[in-house]
Amino acid sequence: MKRRDFLHKGALGTAGFILSSNTGWSPAPVSQTTDSRIEVLFDEPLGTISRNIYGHFAENLSGVLYDGIWVGKKSRIPNINGLRKELIEHMRKIKAPVIRYPGGCFADSYDWRDGIGLAEKRPRRTNFWANAESEKAPSSHRYDPNAVGTNEFVHFCKLIGAEPYLAANVRSLPASAFYQWVEYCNSPAGSTTLADARAAAGYAEPFRVKYWGVGNESWGCGGEFTPQEYAVEFRRYATWLPGYGDELRLIASGPNTDDWNWTREFLGEVVRKGPGELHRIYGMALHHYAWNLSRGKTQDWEAGKGDALKFDPVDWYELLREGERMEGLITGHWQILGEFDHEHRVKLIVDEWGPWYRPGSEATPGNLLEQIPTLRDAVFSGMTLDIFNGHSDKVAMANCAQLINCLNNLYLAHEDKFVITPVGHVFELYASHQGGNALRSIFSAPTLHYDRDGKPASFWGLHGSASVRDKNLTITAVNPSTNESRLAEIALRGASVKGATISLISDSDIHAHNTFEQRNVVVPRTKPLSLSGGTFVVEFPPASVAALNIQLN
Ligand code: AHR
């Protein structure tokens, strides 16, 4: 089965300090020989890291919205106007910049008009994912009660301090429904009937929603369009939208993984009306899931998947290999964009990324597409965020799929239970990159070797990224080896250290994960380091994600 079929079915030093995994931090000067090197080049800035690279995705899918985000106003679970309070608090902590909603595939079945007005009068509708839900799933997962709509979602974003990114329905609603959604959200108080409807719900002031997706996966669940057909639809939906003084940033539905043809044919058709048409596009979405752990044995969407919790080192590496494709996907699609958009105005928006495992490891049995992230997913996520940082000139936004109770979630929640996953902790560690100036950094480390079904295979030994903001330098790095630590000399070319802390996510068990019962198995450990000068040594334990926060002189 292919992914699109599945979705269709659903619709249907020198002086140095050692950090080690088990013992913590030893302040003794390092005498061992380093095997790796990280050079941070202050003279080679790469550009500002868009805050939105650290974005999220919350679809109306199974337990994401109902139970995950929304607990209801009358719930005994601590909430702010029905929205889960603990979630909001942690998302503030990680400075969540932007949240994409309501899908995903759900978006192209959704009529935003069902989700406004008095909650008790809102209609119940069959959710896009209903066919894939089990009989035991709560009714709200199959039949959308519309308790959460635009008001509640935007309110959720505002409570967090995040920008909403709304995905419009291109498959099953006309363009007029799209511009009226913009009107509902953004028209000034008292100006239109829809502004009055918004005010009646308690939101007189416009929401000023900037980011709008024009459909989702239009090559699949979003309409099974050809790239040319979708380009025609895109031009039509984007041709006139009310601005109300704010620039709308329209995001076109882009390719699945390495579908270079989609990118080329879509852009080719857009510019057939003239190159000026490109100005309508703020970004082109790219989706990439790491799902095929079969090591080349199959391309079948079901058979190729691995288990979230039960895996061998070879599966660990295979997942990272699949995730590391992101590097080539960004540069490849960017190159094609450049064939049409010579000034590179149109950016990449990686609005769905993460690992996707087979069913069976749900924290709440029955939750569709829910999986429990382990240390492997933390390393995967750190690696991916480092890739985005390294392409800050190309990637304007990225949205981890998905925020809560689904795929590469940062959080798991059920009723009054809530836990931050290792992925959530990675976002904590990486938050200080947001808005920083990326610096070219060179990581060199011994290549690691492993057995891939009787054949020798290799993977890089240490990777990461660096950024500076004012006098604060952040270096993040992942050590992908399941059993070897790396001792790296870090050289700052053009700066020196005043003070530093290091935070580390690691565990001696590569399967380590947090559950409702054991919430703190994988948590970051942070310590101050007393460093000085421009060169120092840090040990990166096996299977780790690290963040160094360095104050500069
Ligand atoms: O994230 C789950 C699904 O994956 C989304 O709904 C869809 O866009 C993608 O195929």
Side-chain angles (χ1 to χ4, degrees), residues 118 195-204:
L118 285 177
D196 291 348
R198 190 185 66 225
Y203 302 94

Side-chain angles (χ1 to χ4, degrees), residues 63-72 75-79 82-87 136 138 140-141 363-365 367 370 404-405 412-419 516-517 519:
V64 177
L65 204 55
Y66 296 108
D67 203 15
I69 296 175
W70 179 259
V71 296
S75 173
R76 63 187 169 81
I77 301 161
N79 68 82
L83 300 156
R84 190 181 285 273
K85 190 160 176 263
E86 215 171 346
L87 173 64
K136 289 188 221 118
S140 61
H141 296 182
T364 302
N367 270 4
E370 183 172 290
I404 186 165
N405 293 349
L412 289 164
H414 178 49
E415 297 173 345
D416 59 352
K417 292 177 281 196
F418 179 82
V419 61
F516 293 137
E517 294 72 37
R519 290 160 42 112

